[in-house]
Amino acid sequence: MSNKDGEHKYKCAFCSSKSLTEVLDLGEVALAGGFLSLDQFAGEPKFPLRVYFCNDCLAVQVIDIIDPQLMFGNYFYFSSQIKTLRNHFEDYATEVVSRFLEPRKSTVLEFGCNDGVLLRPLADQGIRTLIGVDPASNIISTINDERINVVNDYFTEATSNSVIERFGKVDMVVANNVYAHIPDICGVTRAVKNVLSDDGVFIFEVHYLGKIIQGMQYDMIYHEHLYYYSLIALENHFKKHGMVVFDIKAVPIHGGSMRYYVCKKDATHANNISTRVDLLRNEELQLGYDKPETYRDFASKVRDSRERLMNVLVALKAKGRTVAGYGASGRANTIIQYCGIDNSHVEYMIDDAPAKTGFYTPGSHLEIYSNEVLKVRQPDYLLIFAWSFINEIAAKCEGYMDNGGKLLIPLPEVRIMMTPYSEDIL
């Protein structure tokens, strides 16, 4: 699976190496967040989506870089509309404040702050100065909280300098499900180091590479998600920038994420590196996350997963059963486009975000409805693309299942749920 073009044309985003091995080619796909109206179908762009492994620094990355403005200028993902996320970030705020901050003396910056889902609970904890940075104008404009200073921009070295001029150095930088989204990852890491005080802490959450591999979560791969982090690759990256990972915490959100705690190499926290870091590093090496063969094996299993799901959908269609999708997310669009799902397999989509209602999914052009549609148009099956929120969705769909509806869950293995409490593997 080594690709000579990849080895010579492309460079690793972290170390600039040209020694890259192709992991997975998902084909030409529309942008995961590029929801459309009817009149936009004809001009919809598609782009290659390929994942590579760097043989030198061990980073796993998408090499097909898309203009960030196309993806984030008018974003559709509002974190606060998902109850599971609201609860998660309330707990997150409580933990990081109690562990690292004196609230009334502290300054915290979050980049990729979305609609303030973490900043609000941080404000409730009494943080003196809060700064939210995000390029999505339509989302950051909804924060409307006088306790939060909003910067509508990308977080760059220039942005970090303007923050320092206005607020001084910060005690904590947080970034959640965004540190994997940034083409200039070295630039944003320099910005983090620049804006942090000497003993400041950088805390970020990203989906964990180990969960992607072990849980067959190829649906996490799309153009927004440029990087799929292992600890060993992150340690190589931060070492280059004079920083260290001093602690980690596995968290269940999004089907399996990792929270990383990072500081400057001369900071106090660098003298007390958690044993959790050593344990995870050793585990990753034992599992072969430093070897291209591991990713070749994963790619083969992804292709098998696609075949199993499509066999089920084709069989249901042959029996005259109807299927609708639930969760018009980026993850859904990866599954839909990679597997070749269209309106002959899935009649329409449901999503709980009002901003998506009336739009169509990228590439596949399935119309999106609110879950109110189930009261008047009940399919035999709901294909749950937002499967990592299955408990929350099953609770919302209890009436649907009481009327005989079934939930079809595509990953990590294809299975069926007939009540909120029972599942069968197909």
Side-chain angles (χ1 to χ4, degrees), residues 19 100 106 126 140 165 190-191 246 261 283 306 322 360 376 381 396:
S19 178
F100 297 109
S106 298
I140 201 170
E165 288 174 13
R190 289 192 296 269
F246 69 88
Y261 304 78
E283 178 182 306
R306 172 178 61 183
T322 54
Y360 293 79
V376 295
Y381 292 83
K396 290 180 180 178

Side-chain angles (χ1 to χ4, degrees), residues 16-218:
S16 297
S17 170
K18 293 183 179 180
S19 178
L20 302 174
T21 297
E22 183 179 304
V23 172
L24 186 62
D25 186 344
L26 291 159
E28 296 271 335
V29 300
L31 295 178
F35 298 96
L36 308 140
S37 54
L38 276 169
D39 61 347
Q40 295 175 307
F41 286 4
E44 181 182 31
K46 291 190 176 183
F47 305 91
L49 179 57
R50 294 166 293 174
V51 182
Y52 278 68
F53 170 74
C54 177
N55 297 296
D56 288 333
C57 77
L58 315 180
V60 178
Q61 58 205 284
V62 166
I63 59 167
D64 302 294
I65 308 300
I66 310 302
D67 180 356
Q69 190 60 29
L70 283 177
M71 294 187 287
F72 304 116
N74 190 41
Y75 207 40
F76 279 83
Y77 191 83
F78 291 79
S79 298
S80 294
Q81 290 169 350
I82 302 172
K83 184 175 185 294
T84 303
L85 288 179
R86 292 198 305 273
N87 294 341
H88 171 72
F89 285 118
E90 286 169 7
D91 293 341
Y92 184 133
T94 300
E95 183 213 299
V96 299
V97 171
S98 63
R99 184 173 176 186
F100 297 109
L101 300 174
E102 294 181 57
R104 298 298 176 189
K105 299 179 181 179
S106 298
T107 300
V108 177
L109 180 148
E110 181 180 16
F111 63 92
C113 66
N114 199 259
D115 60 3
V117 68
L118 174 59
L119 290 171
R120 287 191 186 90
L122 285 171
D124 293 341
Q125 293 280 328
I127 300 299
R128 179 191 63 190
T129 304
L130 284 168
I131 307 153
V133 182
D134 200 294
S137 305
N138 63 316
I139 292 184
I140 201 170
S141 64
T142 67
I143 290 178
N144 291 327
D145 190 322
E146 61 184 13
R147 302 173 299 175
I148 299 168
N149 299 280
V150 171
V151 178
N152 185 198
D153 204 348
Y154 294 96
F155 185 61
T156 63
E157 292 175 86
T159 308
S160 73
N161 284 327
S162 65
V163 166
I164 292 168
E165 288 174 13
R166 185 175 170 191
F167 302 101
K169 296 270 189 173
V170 309
D171 303 291
M172 180 181 290
V173 175
V174 287
N176 303 292
N177 306 303
V178 67
Y179 194 61
H181 292 52
I182 302 161
D184 184 12
I185 191 64
C186 292
V188 81
T189 304
R190 289 192 296 269
V192 169
K193 186 179 181 184
N194 181 45
V195 82
L196 271 181
S197 62
D198 289 343
D199 269 338
V201 178
F202 174 37
I203 304 173
F204 66 97
E205 282 185 1
V206 287
H207 206 80
Y208 178 50
L209 176 65
K211 289 293 184 181
I212 292 173
I213 294 174
Q214 295 164 27
M216 287 305 302
Q217 296 183 28
Y218 72 88

Side-chain angles (χ1 to χ4, degrees), residues 134-400:
D134 200 294
S137 305
N138 63 316
I139 292 184
I140 201 170
S141 64
T142 67
I143 290 178
N144 291 327
D145 190 322
E146 61 184 13
R147 302 173 299 175
I148 299 168
N149 299 280
V150 171
V151 178
N152 185 198
D153 204 348
Y154 294 96
F155 185 61
T156 63
E157 292 175 86
T159 308
S160 73
N161 284 327
S162 65
V163 166
I164 292 168
E165 288 174 13
R166 185 175 170 191
F167 302 101
K169 296 270 189 173
V170 309
D171 303 291
M172 180 181 290
V173 175
V174 287
N176 303 292
N177 306 303
V178 67
Y179 194 61
H181 292 52
I182 302 161
D184 184 12
I185 191 64
C186 292
V188 81
T189 304
R190 289 192 296 269
V192 169
K193 186 179 181 184
N194 181 45
V195 82
L196 271 181
S197 62
D198 289 343
D199 269 338
V201 178
F202 174 37
I203 304 173
F204 66 97
E205 282 185 1
V206 287
H207 206 80
Y208 178 50
L209 176 65
K211 289 293 184 181
I212 292 173
I213 294 174
Q214 295 164 27
M216 287 305 302
Q217 296 183 28
Y218 72 88
D219 58 334
M220 280 301 294
I221 300 170
Y222 44 98
H223 289 105
E224 289 173 21
H225 294 174
L226 292 173
Y227 316 121
Y228 306 90
Y229 289 121
S230 62
L231 171 64
I232 53 178
L234 277 170
E235 287 189 315
N236 287 336
H237 172 62
F238 284 119
K239 182 178 181 180
K240 189 173 75 168
H241 292 275
M243 302 179 79
V244 295
V245 179
F246 69 88
D247 202 1
I248 56 169
K249 180 178 182 178
V251 289
I253 204 72
H254 297 299
S257 298
M258 192 70 70
R259 186 179 299 166
Y260 294 94
Y261 304 78
V262 182
C263 65
K264 297 178 182 179
K265 67 177 182 179
D266 296 324
T268 303
H269 295 294
N271 299 321
N272 187 26
I273 295 177
S274 169
T275 56
R276 288 182 287 270
V277 175
D278 295 329
L279 288 171
L280 184 60
R281 184 190 309 112
N282 292 336
E283 178 182 306
E284 289 183 350
L285 293 172
Q286 289 172 1
L287 290 169
Y289 291 177
D290 58 336
K291 297 179 174 64
E293 294 80 11
T294 302
Y295 305 102
R296 292 191 183 104
D297 181 60
F298 170 67
S300 176
K301 291 177 179 176
V302 168
R303 290 189 286 271
D304 291 343
S305 175
R306 172 178 61 183
E307 184 175 348
R308 284 194 298 273
L309 176 59
M310 293 311 295
N311 286 343
V312 169
L313 292 177
V314 169
L316 290 175
K317 176 74 173 180
K319 293 177 182 177
R321 303 293 189 266
T322 54
V323 181
Y326 202 119
S329 63
R331 301 181 75 154
N333 289 318
T334 291
I335 297 175
I336 290 169
Q337 295 188 83
Y338 175 63
C339 293
I341 295 170
D342 58 30
N343 58 14
S344 71
H345 307 104
V346 172
E347 295 186 352
Y348 60 91
M349 293 289 285
I350 295 170
D351 198 274
D352 294 327
K356 295 178 186 176
T357 300
F359 283 87
Y360 293 79
T361 56
S364 51
H365 304 163
L366 301 170
E367 189 169 3
I368 304 169
Y369 296 84
S370 76
N371 63 12
E372 292 294 307
V373 72
L374 292 175
K375 295 177 181 178
V376 295
R377 188 179 174 187
Q378 179 161 322
D380 298 308
Y381 292 83
L382 283 175
L383 178 52
I384 308 300
F385 291 110
W387 59 268
S388 62
F389 298 102
I390 185 60
N391 293 333
E392 187 174 331
I393 291 171
K396 290 180 180 178
C397 295
E398 194 162 0
Y400 163 78

